[in-house]
């Protein structure tokens, strides 16, 4: 076997070995008794988001499939967290990395990719990213990682410390160790695929709720089974929702889906800050809104149990968007009704969500 590939795989495995698992945080809210809420904190990875897991898996997958060797340029279509995390692993094994992203991408994101030694290649709009990445890979005999295609298959769904196995292990000593449900939004759909497959494989009595933002087709694809649905608009909650059904999105492992208004996602991300003591990203708000809605339903049925969702990334990345009131007023709109509902949780319990 190729000595370079052997060494690259060893470097990534050693890095994983040195890394700690992410925390599973219990959200303690005395007035909301009966349903216990947990947050798997994926913002604590070295590159700051759940895409750290994906990037590690995609690199190992490509290396073991012989798609990356010494001097192969790795290319990804991503203006977000995936580009940052892949740049980190590319530098680790010493291959060049290029992120194809829209020209209007936030400076902070560009700087993070460059911080890890990556290069950014700009296109005029998001719809051109995929074709540009394919063209660039062909031109430089590089490898296009293609997260929206390979995310679901790069991760070992049976275990091997994937996020699902980690959650169930960390829940073992809790009052309700098997969650009634796990709630997660979909971007590539890779995380929901891993969670849904693992739940079935282990036979857990846990349902998987996928939450979708506005301007995304995932909900309709799940509902109708029609994977050809496309829309023109693009979503406003970073990291989640897509205008077309990406290959990586696996609707059949999802038990239930729910659309969350973008204003409710932002209201929920604000609501969490004083409880957690720090800021989270907007997709975490989407997840949280879905989890609180389920909790309300459980309380209405007099059920006790636990619910788990993810903190996908930290809010520090969004100080000039979701944490800027003027930006929110212009791009998201009024949050008031949702903020009132969330405030009501402390006085009326989960009924405030109904
Ligand atoms: C990618 C991403 C998600 C969704 O995860 P997938 O596994 O791609 O479906 C959610 N939130 C953020 C911030 C992301 O970057």
């Amino acid at each position: 076997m190729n000595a370079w590939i052997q060494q690259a795989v060893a470097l990534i495995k050693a890095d994983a070995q040195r890394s700690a698992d992410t925390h599973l945080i219990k959200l303690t809210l005395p007035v909301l008794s009966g349903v216990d809420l947990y947050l798997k904190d994926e913002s604590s990875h070295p590159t700051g988001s759940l895409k750290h897991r994906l990037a590690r898996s995609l690199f190992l997958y490509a290396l073991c499939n012989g798609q990356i060797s010494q001097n192969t340029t790795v290319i990804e279509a991503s203006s977000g967290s995936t580009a940052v995390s892949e740049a980190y692993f590319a530098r680790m094994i010493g291959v060049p990395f290029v992120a194809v992203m829209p020209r209007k991408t936030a400076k902070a994101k560009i700087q993070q990719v460059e911080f890890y030694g990556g290069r950014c290649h700009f296109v005029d709009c998001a719809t051109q990213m995929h074709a540009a990445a394919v063209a660039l890979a062909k031109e430089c005999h590089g490898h296009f990682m293609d997260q929206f295609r390979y995310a679901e298959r790069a991760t070992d769904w049976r275990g091997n410390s994937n996020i699902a196995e980690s959650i169930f292990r960390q829940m073992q000593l809790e009052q309700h160790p098997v969650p009634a449900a796990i709630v997660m939004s979909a971007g590539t759909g890779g995380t929901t695929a891993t969670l849904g497959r693992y739940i079935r494989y282990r036979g857990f009595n846990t349902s998987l709720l996928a939450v979708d933002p506005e301007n995304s087709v995932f909900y309709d694809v799940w509902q109708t089974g029609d994977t050809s649905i496309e829309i023109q608009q693009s979503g406003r909650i970073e990291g989640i929702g897509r205008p077309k059904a990406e290959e990586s999105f696996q609707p059949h492992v999802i038990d239930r889906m729910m659309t969350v208004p973008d204003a409710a996602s932002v209201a929920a991300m604000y609501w969490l800050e004083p409880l957690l003591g720090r800021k989270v990203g907007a997709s975490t708000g989407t997840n949280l809104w879905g989890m609180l809605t389920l909790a309300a339903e459980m309380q209405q049925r007099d059920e006790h149990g636990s619910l788990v969702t993810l903190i996908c990334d930290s809010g520090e990345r969004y100080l000039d968007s979701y944490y800027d009131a003027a930006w929110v007023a212009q791009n998201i709109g009024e949050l008031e009704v949702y903020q009132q509902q969330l405030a009501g949780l402390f006085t009326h319990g989960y009924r405030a969500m109904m």
Side-chain angles (χ1 to χ4, degrees), residues 49-51 54 81-82 184-192 238-240 283 312-313 318:
S49 79
L50 79 169
K51 291 301 192 307
L54 173 63
S81 310
T82 304
M184 179 56 189
S185 44
T188 63
T191 307
T192 44
E238 268 215 39
I240 61 172
S283 65
C312 301
D313 65 356
Y318 308 107

Side-chain angles (χ1 to χ4, degrees), residues 72-76 98 100 121 129-145:
T72 302
T73 297
V74 172
I75 293 144
E76 183 63 284
V98 183
V100 178
H121 174 93
M129 288 161 71
H130 188 273
V134 171
L136 200 60
K138 196 170 172 197
E139 203 176 291
C140 67
H141 304 289
H143 175 62
F144 174 30
M145 281 291 215

Side-chain angles (χ1 to χ4, degrees), residues 7 11 13 21 61 99 140 154 174 176 224 236 274 296 304 311:
Q7 191 205 355
L11 284 169
K13 283 165 75 177
D21 198 354
Y61 185 80
C140 67
E174 299 307 300
H176 304 287
T224 63
R236 295 172 297 191
H304 288 191
I311 294 175

Side-chain angles (χ1 to χ4, degrees), residues 148 185-187 211-218 235 237 239-243:
F148 289 106
S185 44
V211 280
D212 210 25
E214 294 171 38
N215 299 317
S216 170
V217 299
F218 288 146
I237 305 297
I240 61 172
R242 295 291 293 171

Side-chain angles (χ1 to χ4, degrees), residues 1 25 33 48 74 101 111 123 215 222 231 246 251 261 264 275 305 345:
M1 132 154 193
I25 298 167
S33 60
V74 172
M101 51 174 68
Q111 283 167 350
V123 292
N215 299 317
W222 176 81
I231 55 172
E246 303 290 352
L275 298 173
L345 283 170

Side-chain angles (χ1 to χ4, degrees), residues 5 24 44 86 93 123 140 160 188 212-213 220 271 305 307 311 332 340:
I5 293 177
L24 184 65
S44 64
E86 286 183 10
I93 64 169
V123 292
C140 67
N160 199 5
T188 63
D212 210 25
D220 290 330
W271 179 80
L307 297 171
I311 294 175
I332 306 289
Q340 268 169 12

Side-chain angles (χ1 to χ4, degrees), residues 264-280:
S265 296
V266 177
M269 80 190 271
Y270 289 168
W271 179 80
L272 186 61
E273 184 178 353
L275 298 173
L276 199 64
R278 56 196 160 88
K279 294 178 168 66
V280 297

